[in-house]
Amino acid sequence: MKKRQKIFLETLKWLYPNLGVKRYFLLAVFGIFLVTGGLTVMSYGETLGYLEAQFREIIYMLTGKEMISVVPAGILICFAGVIAIYLGLKKMLKSVITVLLPGNEDRVVDVMYARRQLKRGPKIVVIGGGTGLSALLKGLKEYTSNLTAIVTVGDDGGSSGRLRRELGILPPGDVRNCLVALAEKEDIMEDLFSYRFENGTLSGHNLGNLFLAGLAGRFGDFQKGIEHIGKVFALKGEVYPSTLSPVTLEAYFEDGRSINGETAIRTTPGKIKNLRVSPSNCEPLPGALKAIKEADLIVLGPGSLYTSVLPNLLVKGLRDEIAKAKAPCVYVCNIMTESGETDDFTVSDHLKVIIQHGGKDIVDVVLAAKEVIPHEVLERYLVEGANVVSTDRDSVENLGISYHESTFYTGGEVVRHNPDKLAKELLRMLFRLKPINERIDIVDSYLLNRKLKAI
């Protein structure tokens, strides 16, 4: 009984003033009565003596001819009713759409169809951190909304590090970048969340980090804060930290030194022998494990090997779930080496480090870049101690891992994967890796969203 009363009360809300709905609803209802009346006239015109007589008189005055049948009258009334229904529903829907989808009133069918198709897209889990992860998400969200980002939480520098030390929360920087990348109104959210304060006690902080910190405090849980942002900004996917534990990275070098903290590891020269996280018993979130279990594709990287990719694999439960997942796991290797972390590394060197820390069952396929970098751009990287990652197909395949390569660099001073090119290549790989009977949905979604993107 209470449920019926609640439904009735909710229905009555449509009678609130100034909604811009009631008049058009009544017009549509009037149209239904007209259609019903028109059908009645056509079927039982002989019983509607007065109406028939009046209509015959009007027709005679207009045409000078006697009307033999009442059927035309019924058709005309039905036609008027259909027009009334059309106008009423159209105006009513426009009143609602103007509020819910401002700026998209003329594209509502395209928007609805695109969203429906994106929901049919493959389930893809991307794991990493830094700018590489957010760039990949920007590309993939054009083809599917079934995205899950699992983000490292070892950052201890900049605004994120300050908030971590002062408020005891997880570093929000990498999570913020993923949230921005998944937003439907990406430009608006990026302008908002990337605003950086330059004066006062907030100097150096950006608004997005503070917003996440505030939500974490308000709801008492960092992940709940992320979920509320997802609802407000209509994200095309979900974001999870790799763990809710306040982890610290520990790097052990070949010369016997040990360094704690992501920032210190990045800036300390030398070859890293082993990486650990403290506490070592940190646990992943159930939502992240569920996403991996249900995924069609798992993607590691691109991103810094030791500070973006590996920290996620050091969360034991996360690593174990990836290893036993049915979905293939693709490692996207960086285009350039990183000074102090991966000096002179080849593609197989990256993989050996992943296998060392995550086990042999983690990666199924590697996606490498085969690029020709302009001389002037390469010179600048060489000065900074970085170079192009050398491809070595045979060494990779000797590790029991499939090897694929393509070109992703599209110019510019910074050598990075082009988001759209990388997303397309991953979808092609998923298509090749899927059984025949599962490929058609991927193709349909991929082709349709390319078409919608071009509109």
Side-chain angles (χ1 to χ4, degrees):
M1 189 66 180
K2 289 183 178 180
K3 186 176 181 181
R4 291 180 181 177
Q5 289 178 344
K6 184 177 180 181
I7 294 173
F8 177 71
L9 292 173
E10 289 293 327
T11 304
L12 287 179
K13 289 182 179 179
W14 287 99
L15 300 177
Y16 285 175
N18 301 318
L19 284 180
V21 172
K22 297 187 295 296
R23 71 196 76 168
Y24 303 122
F25 174 73
L26 292 175
L27 178 60
V29 171
F30 178 67
I32 293 172
F33 278 110
L34 283 178
V35 171
T36 304
L39 293 173
T40 302
V41 169
M42 286 188 287
S43 300
Y44 308 102
E46 65 278 3
T47 65
L48 303 175
Y50 176 76
L51 177 63
E52 179 185 355
Q54 292 297 316
F55 193 75
R56 287 177 183 275
E57 186 176 338
I58 292 172
I59 294 297
Y60 182 77
M61 290 173 60
L62 294 174
T63 65
K65 296 180 180 180
E66 294 253 351
M67 186 184 72
I68 299 174
S69 172
V70 294
V71 172
I75 293 174
L76 187 61
I77 295 172
C78 285
F79 183 69
V82 170
I83 292 176
I85 294 171
Y86 170 75
L87 291 176
L89 292 178
K90 181 181 179 182
K91 293 288 186 180
M92 186 169 63
L93 286 173
K94 189 172 183 180
S95 295
V96 176
I97 291 166
T98 302
V99 176
L100 298 180
L101 293 172
N104 287 309
E105 294 90 343
D106 298 329
R107 296 184 61 250
V108 63
V109 175
D110 288 339
V111 172
M112 290 175 62
Y113 197 49
R115 288 183 180 178
R116 291 287 186 186
Q117 287 302 119
L118 289 174
K119 287 182 179 179
R120 291 179 56 201
K123 296 179 180 180
I124 301 178
V125 175
V126 294
I127 303 171
T131 57
L133 184 62
S134 56
L136 174 57
L137 291 172
K138 288 179 183 179
L140 286 173
K141 76 176 182 181
E142 301 296 336
Y143 304 101
T144 178
S145 60
N146 295 315
L147 292 170
T148 301
I150 300 175
V151 190
T152 181
V153 288
D155 192 5
D156 60 359
S159 170
S160 292
R162 286 172 58 190
L163 291 172
R164 178 176 178 172
R165 290 187 294 273
E166 294 170 9
L167 301 180
I169 65 168
L170 294 178
D174 286 347
V175 170
R176 182 201 76 233
N177 289 334
C178 291
L179 293 172
V180 170
L182 288 173
E184 187 163 339
K185 300 285 187 180
E186 183 185 321
D187 294 340
I188 296 174
M189 191 169 174
E190 187 165 11
D191 287 342
L192 177 68
F193 271 32
S194 298
Y195 174 75
R196 191 172 293 274
F197 295 91
E198 297 180 356
N199 301 302
T201 56
L202 296 179
S203 178
H205 287 301
N206 60 48
L207 186 58
N209 286 356
L210 295 177
F211 192 41
L212 266 171
L215 287 175
R218 167 64 180 82
F219 296 104
D221 186 291
F222 192 78
Q223 182 59 30
K224 287 183 180 178
I226 295 173
E227 290 170 1
H228 277 78
I229 289 179
K231 294 176 183 177
V232 172
F233 290 96
L235 301 188
K236 295 181 179 179
E238 297 180 315
V239 179
Y240 292 97
S242 57
T243 179
L244 292 179
S245 300
V247 298
T248 300
L249 298 184
E250 302 175 350
Y252 298 85
F253 291 79
E254 288 191 343
D255 59 8
R257 292 174 299 153
S258 63
I259 300 293
N260 291 347
E262 180 182 310
T263 303
I265 292 171
R266 284 180 178 274
T267 56
T268 301
K271 191 170 182 180
I272 299 174
K273 181 179 180 180
N274 193 26
L275 187 75
R276 297 177 186 172
V277 292
S278 178
S280 59
N281 62 345
C282 56
E283 296 183 354
L285 279 75
L289 297 178
K290 183 174 183 289
I292 293 172
K293 186 176 182 179
E294 297 176 353
D296 295 308
L297 182 70
I298 301 168
V299 183
L300 293 177
S304 300
L305 178 62
Y306 285 99
T307 53
S308 292
V309 177
L310 284 186
N312 298 288
L313 301 181
L314 297 177
V315 179
K316 190 174 184 299
L318 204 61
R319 178 181 68 229
D320 294 342
E321 195 66 41
I322 296 170
K324 66 182 182 182
K326 295 180 180 179
C329 180
V330 178
Y331 170 58
V332 181
C333 190
N334 290 346
I335 301 175
M336 307 295 293
T337 64
E338 292 185 272
S339 179
E341 281 195 48
T342 56
D343 297 312
D344 302 320
F345 267 39
T346 63
V347 175
S348 65
D349 289 330
H350 284 79
L351 286 172
K352 288 173 183 176
V353 172
I354 291 175
I355 291 171
Q356 175 193 347
H357 291 82
K360 294 181 179 180
D361 299 327
I362 291 291
V363 177
D364 301 296
V365 186
V366 63
L367 180 57
K370 189 175 183 179
E371 311 286 356
V372 178
I373 309 299
H375 179 73
E376 61 274 12
V377 176
L378 186 58
E379 281 292 322
R380 183 173 62 81
Y381 272 90
L382 290 173
V383 170
E384 297 173 356
N387 204 341
V388 178
V389 174
S390 301
T391 58
D392 51 350
R393 176 187 294 270
D394 292 340
S395 298
V396 170
E397 292 178 345
N398 286 338
L399 294 171
I401 296 172
S402 299
Y403 179 92
H404 295 271
E405 64 181 24
S406 186
T407 57
F408 302 102
Y409 171 65
T410 54
E413 292 295 315
V414 181
V415 181
R416 287 177 181 163
H417 290 83
N418 176 275
D420 193 53
K421 278 193 167 188
L422 180 55
K424 289 176 180 176
E425 190 61 35
L426 285 169
L427 287 170
R428 291 190 191 103
M429 291 181 64
L430 174 57
F431 176 79
R432 290 193 292 265
L433 293 166
K434 276 286 182 182
I436 294 294
N437 60 348
E438 296 183 29
R439 294 182 179 183
I440 189 66
D441 286 339
I442 298 172
V443 174
D444 285 346
S445 178
Y446 172 74
L447 292 177
L448 175 67
N449 286 294
R450 282 190 67 182
K451 188 184 297 182
L452 291 171
K453 187 180 177 184
I455 293 177

